[in-house]
Amino acid sequence: MTQKILMSIVLLASVAPTIQAADIDHNTLKGNIKHDKETALYDSLTLDQVVVTATHTPKALKDVPVVTRLISLDDIKKTDATTIQDLLVQELPGLEFGFSMGQETSLNMSGFGGNAVLFLVDGERVAGETVDNTDYNRLNLDNAGRIEIVKGASSALYGSNAVGGVVNIITKESTEPWTANVNSRYSSFGNEWRNGAGFSFNSGKWNSQTNFQHTNIESIKLSSGPTSEEKALAALLGQTIEEDKSNVKKLYGQKSYHVKERVMFTASDFLRFIARGGYFYRESQRDTYNYHFNAYNGGLKVLYDWKNGQNIELSYAYDQYDKANYTPAGKRTHDHDYCNTQHVVHAIYNHTFGEHVLTLGSDLLHDYLSTYQFLDNTSHEQNNIDAYAQFDFNPSKRFNLVGSLRYDYFSASRADALTARLAAVCKLNRVTLRANYASGFRAPSLKEMYMHFDMGNMGYIIMGNPDLKPEKSNNFNVAAELSGMVSKGGFLDGKYNITLMGYCNIFDKRITTVDRYWVVDASYKEGGYQVLSDDKRISEVGDGYVFTADDGTKYEALTSSLYWNEDGVKVFGLDFSAQYRFDFGLGLRYNYAYMHESGNVIDSQFSQPRTHSMTWRVDYDHRFSRRYALTAALSGRYLGKPQSGRQDVDQGYTLWKLMLQQHIRKGIHVNFAIDNILNYKPKAYYYCSPMTTGTTYSVGISLNFN
């Protein structure tokens, strides 16, 4: 297999002189590579890149009053990441992806779970979830231009689910008359093949971008434990073999397809229309059945700009996410049917007063959910309506104050919330100071209110709670940033950036699950139950016994997991980052995160708060000739022991990765990466362990035409 891959790369490279191509940024590579690639990176170091997530309006990163982490296109290339999970764990400390039930991906970011971190694609929500997390497989990086991350509460602009932060994946723009790309990548981990293609054109008033991606990965055996023969031999010899404690012994194989289309029509200098559509399919190949996931999305956005500093944005977005269970023979069983559909109507108006900007906005969200986890696969729906205002006050070039206020109402829970943000930035000569307060909230989801799921028909039922209150948080953070350059005509000439941020999150009524005793009669499967969590007679009797009420009625006593509001949760920590880019092409980057939590934030076998974590990268760009350049990056990440002290979770690890990217002529890019170069293997594979079998490699090629 390896020889075939390398032979293909050699053959493709040998035809390079016949290909007219552009680099992956759609800009022709001319002269020294430092002019192109380092200019892009210098923009991030000097904080001149424009971001939109923190304030809804475009601002240079250096001017944003809310600490925003930007992962640029250059960063995406140097991580050699193909999924959002791979990218974020390599770039952000304090963030970990693990597994939950059914090997669906689970997120922990600074003490927040996946349902408290809002993932957006070009500012739009994504429907559906898998065990309280977005299906991260939908968020492919094939045409991503940059990722913007705002940690901490952002509900004053984005409403529910932004209680812990926002991750916004922004599509790469194309300005060339036309471009075309084909790419292929092989990884030895699961014999994964990833193939993609993209095409874009600009013709008069029309701009179009089309992307396709297909991925196929085989099942991976992680751990099998001792065989029966090994156990018998050990017993004969009077020896004992340590049992395999792994929770995950095999990774399911899967395949997926992505198709995306984005069309923009510029009617005039003031009016633009943007239409988009996409389809996603994933098949997870389980032991006795296959799970099929389908997602459909589309939308239309209208942008109108007045000459006097006013503009308005109107949009409609549709997103549907379905899950179904199939037998190996391809027959649908209908026992795991799931469908979540969201319709969102959105409006934003901006008015400029000199250097100040007033933003007014409103959203209407209709959320529909039908799932096997409801009684009789029934459905529930709700409407969320909101209105918000933000004032961006700029009295001078050195000081900026932004205040936001938002009101949300949810029809199903009849819950409402008022959230606010006040953020300030003060820019001195080389030091920038930021301070931010933000309130966050998360309304109880339809699943959390109406779930009635008997796990395996064993009598252990996960129960929804229609009386749940919205989850709320208060987030405080302060940050200091030092940036500048060294220009003495020597070896150390370059630019640097150092940031230190301290934060505190105080939760109120956090939504979680707790074990509660409850009693049922014969109709419990139709929802007849009564929670008796404070009844001592139930707790004394225990599971499976009959409880006789005061009126003589006999009930069965069970223990179940019930959605509940919990108080007394606090999280505080420090984030530190430092980077230096030398003029001769060498780059250094280091990130560290410290976190401490009190109360039950995330303390299970699925995900763990870790006190210390780090990421780092050393990279180098060099052009050897007009037709050949090389980019090399050595990166790593470290996650410390879990704060809880539990032994049934991974106790911490360090992973290193080496990536080499060759730029041949104008549009051929050949990548080679070695992951886990120190060959780390967990002693046992827990849900929060790195799913690695040791050192693996990947090789890929990308051809760009114009």
Side-chain angles (χ1 to χ4, degrees):
M1 176 66 74
T2 305
Q3 291 178 340
K4 291 181 179 179
I5 296 168
L6 295 176
M7 181 64 71
S8 299
I9 293 173
V10 171
L11 289 173
L12 286 167
S14 67
V15 300
T18 67
I19 298 175
Q20 296 297 319
D23 75 348
I24 200 167
D25 292 322
H26 310 297
N27 297 316
T28 304
L29 282 170
K30 297 179 180 178
N32 195 306
I33 192 172
K34 185 166 72 173
H35 177 74
D36 285 21
K37 298 181 71 64
E38 288 189 11
T39 298
L41 187 56
Y42 275 169
D43 286 342
S44 65
L45 288 177
T46 55
L47 308 176
D48 289 328
Q49 290 193 4
V50 174
V51 295
V52 297
T53 305
T55 59
H56 256 336
T57 53
K59 275 182 175 289
L61 192 59
K62 64 183 179 182
D63 299 327
V64 178
V66 181
V67 175
T68 301
R69 173 63 194 271
L70 175 67
I71 301 178
S72 67
L73 182 59
D74 190 75
D75 296 326
I76 297 173
K77 296 177 191 175
K78 289 177 178 176
T79 59
D80 190 47
T82 58
T83 67
I84 190 68
Q85 301 99 301
D86 290 342
L87 177 66
L88 294 181
V89 297
Q90 291 186 65
E91 289 292 303
L92 296 178
L95 182 147
E96 183 178 13
F97 285 97
F99 275 159
S100 57
M101 292 179 294
Q103 292 193 16
E104 296 303 331
T105 306
S106 176
L107 168 67
N108 176 19
M109 186 173 86
S110 300
F112 291 96
N115 59 6
V117 180
L118 181 62
F119 280 79
L120 305 171
V121 178
D122 291 328
E124 300 289 353
R125 289 173 175 265
V126 178
E129 55 89 18
T130 56
V131 197
D132 294 335
N133 282 258
T134 298
D135 186 345
Y136 302 107
N137 294 279
R138 293 184 63 187
L139 310 177
N140 79 82
L141 303 176
D142 197 42
N143 65 340
R146 67 183 190 275
I147 318 291
E148 297 177 8
I149 299 130
V150 179
K151 297 175 71 173
S154 297
S155 296
L157 286 183
Y158 294 99
S160 186
N161 296 93
V163 65
V166 176
V167 179
N168 193 5
I169 303 172
I170 299 173
T171 301
K172 179 171 52 181
E173 297 288 344
S174 173
T175 58
E176 294 292 322
W178 69 270
T179 65
N181 169 271
V182 291
N183 58 82
S184 183
R185 183 180 186 272
Y186 170 80
S187 172
S188 63
F189 187 69
N191 288 323
E192 178 185 0
W193 277 102
R194 177 180 177 271
N195 301 295
F199 177 76
S200 71
F201 72 86
N202 283 282
S203 178
K205 297 182 178 182
W206 292 93
N207 176 288
S208 172
Q209 295 187 60
T210 307
N211 291 89
F212 169 80
Q213 186 185 99
H214 168 62
T215 301
N216 186 75
I217 182 170
E218 299 175 1
S219 61
I220 302 169
K221 186 177 181 180
L222 297 175
S223 175
S224 59
T227 65
S228 56
E229 291 81 4
E230 290 172 334
K231 290 182 179 179
L233 179 60
L236 222 100
L237 298 175
Q239 300 173 346
T240 57
I241 297 180
E242 185 177 351
E243 291 290 334
D244 181 16
K245 299 179 180 179
S246 297
N247 301 123
V248 184
K249 298 189 177 183
K250 183 181 77 171
L251 299 182
Y252 300 133
Q254 60 180 334
K255 60 182 178 181
S256 64
Y257 299 90
H258 293 260
V259 181
K260 293 185 287 186
E261 173 65 31
R262 182 175 181 265
V263 178
M264 181 170 66
F265 174 68
T266 305
S268 69
D269 292 340
F270 313 107
L271 181 62
R272 286 180 295 157
F273 297 86
I274 301 175
R276 61 177 179 84
Y279 171 71
F280 164 78
Y281 169 80
R282 177 166 67 97
E283 180 180 325
S284 180
Q285 299 155 357
R286 312 296 174 94
D287 293 328
T288 57
Y289 60 89
N290 292 336
Y291 239 144
H292 290 202
F293 305 83
N294 292 272
Y296 318 84
N297 66 83
L300 177 65
K301 182 180 294 184
V302 182
L303 304 167
Y304 188 83
D305 294 288
W306 287 274
K307 288 184 177 180
N308 57 359
Q310 302 177 66
N311 62 75
I312 189 169
E313 175 185 314
L314 303 173
S315 69
Y316 163 75
Y318 169 83
D319 202 276
Q320 179 176 327
Y321 181 73
D322 299 338
K323 293 186 278 189
N325 191 4
Y326 286 77
T327 66
K331 182 180 178 181
R332 184 166 179 169
T333 63
H334 292 285
D335 59 350
H336 281 67
D337 287 358
Y338 173 102
C339 178
N340 181 219
T341 303
Q342 292 183 354
H343 301 266
V344 183
V345 179
H346 171 74
I348 291 184
Y349 170 75
N350 292 298
H351 190 98
T352 301
F353 304 89
E355 299 296 326
H356 318 302
V357 182
L358 173 67
T359 300
L360 303 174
S362 181
D363 305 281
L364 174 61
L365 166 66
H366 178 75
D367 190 16
Y368 166 89
L369 178 61
S370 172
T371 172
Y372 64 96
Q373 295 180 340
F374 290 161
L375 282 172
D376 300 323
N377 283 19
T378 189
S379 63
H380 291 278
E381 55 190 302
Q382 71 172 337
N383 294 311
N384 164 219
I385 187 169
D386 64 68
Y388 55 91
Q390 174 181 276
F391 191 68
D392 189 343
F393 180 58
N394 295 274
S396 71
K397 293 183 178 180
R398 291 183 176 271
F399 182 75
N400 176 217
L401 183 69
V402 174
S404 308
L405 191 66
R406 179 181 177 118
Y407 174 79
D408 280 83
Y409 176 77
F410 286 80
S411 62
S413 58
R414 297 182 180 179
D416 60 358
L418 189 66
T419 50
R421 166 182 276 167
L422 185 63
V425 57
C426 180
K427 293 175 287 185
L428 306 176
N429 290 335
R430 289 188 299 169
V431 177
T432 299
L433 303 176
R434 292 179 173 88
N436 175 66
Y437 162 76
S439 54
F441 91 102
R442 186 176 72 84
S445 68
L446 292 171
K447 187 182 79 170
E448 291 166 336
M449 289 189 291
Y450 302 115
M451 188 174 184
H452 193 281
F453 180 48
D454 189 343
M455 296 186 64
N457 296 314
M458 297 182 296
Y460 185 83
I461 299 180
I462 302 177
M463 304 296 303
N465 184 353
D467 297 323
L468 286 172
K469 304 300 181 184
E471 179 176 298
K472 298 182 179 180
S473 74
N474 291 285
N475 172 251
F476 304 85
N477 66 64
V478 293
E481 182 178 57
L482 174 67
S483 59
M485 66 171 60
V486 175
S487 182
K488 297 182 178 180
F491 175 79
L492 295 178
D493 285 3
K495 297 191 177 184
Y496 61 87
N497 178 261
I498 302 171
T499 302
L500 177 65
M501 181 180 75
Y503 64 87
C504 176
N505 287 310
I506 303 172
F507 292 86
D508 180 32
K509 296 185 176 9
R510 177 179 173 268
I511 299 173
T512 184
T513 54
V514 294
D515 286 340
R516 288 289 186 266
Y517 284 95
W518 56 295
V519 296
V520 298
D521 56 20
S523 65
Y524 82 95
K525 286 192 176 182
E526 282 70 46
Y529 70 93
Q530 180 184 3
V531 176
L532 293 177
S533 59
D534 299 324
D535 196 310
K536 293 182 179 180
R537 290 171 295 180
I538 296 294
S539 60
E540 290 170 357
V541 169
D543 292 351
Y545 287 83
V546 172
F547 165 70
T548 303
D550 293 337
D551 61 1
T553 305
K554 292 184 180 296
Y555 296 92
E556 183 182 2
L558 298 174
T559 301
S560 178
S561 187
L562 181 74
Y563 281 100
W564 203 258
N565 287 114
E566 183 178 63
D567 291 329
V569 177
K570 297 180 182 178
V571 180
F572 62 86
L574 292 171
D575 285 351
F576 173 80
S577 66
Q579 55 182 317
Y580 196 100
R581 168 62 57 174
F582 293 89
D583 285 348
F584 64 86
L586 179 67
L588 307 174
R589 176 177 292 180
Y590 172 79
N591 301 289
Y592 167 77
Y594 166 82
M595 187 192 73
H596 179 79
E597 57 91 6
S598 61
N600 182 25
V601 179
I602 299 176
D603 185 8
S604 70
Q605 58 182 328
F606 299 126
S607 189
Q608 285 288 307
R610 300 181 186 268
T611 305
H612 306 283
S613 58
M614 294 179 283
T615 64
W616 56 86
R617 187 176 77 211
V618 180
D619 60 80
Y620 180 65
D621 297 317
H622 184 73
R623 175 163 289 284
F624 293 89
S625 69
R626 183 171 173 269
R627 296 186 177 186
Y628 181 79
L630 178 69
T631 297
L634 178 65
S635 59
R637 68 182 188 271
Y638 163 80
L639 275 81
K641 292 183 178 181
Q643 184 178 316
S644 65
R646 293 176 58 134
Q647 297 302 307
D648 60 340
V649 298
D650 197 277
Q651 296 300 299
Y653 56 90
T654 301
L655 297 176
W656 290 79
K657 182 176 183 178
L658 175 65
M659 191 281 297
L660 301 174
Q661 184 179 80
Q662 301 176 79
H663 311 273
I664 304 170
R665 278 188 163 265
K666 294 182 178 179
I668 300 177
H669 304 275
V670 180
N671 279 46
F672 179 74
I674 303 176
D675 201 2
N676 192 2
I677 57 179
L678 298 183
N679 199 36
Y680 170 78
K681 297 178 183 179
K683 293 181 179 179
Y685 291 90
Y686 300 111
Y687 292 107
C688 60
S689 298
M691 298 301 164
T692 175
T693 55
T695 302
T696 60
Y697 73 90
S698 63
V699 60
I701 186 166
S702 175
L703 304 177
N704 297 276
F705 307 85
N706 68 359

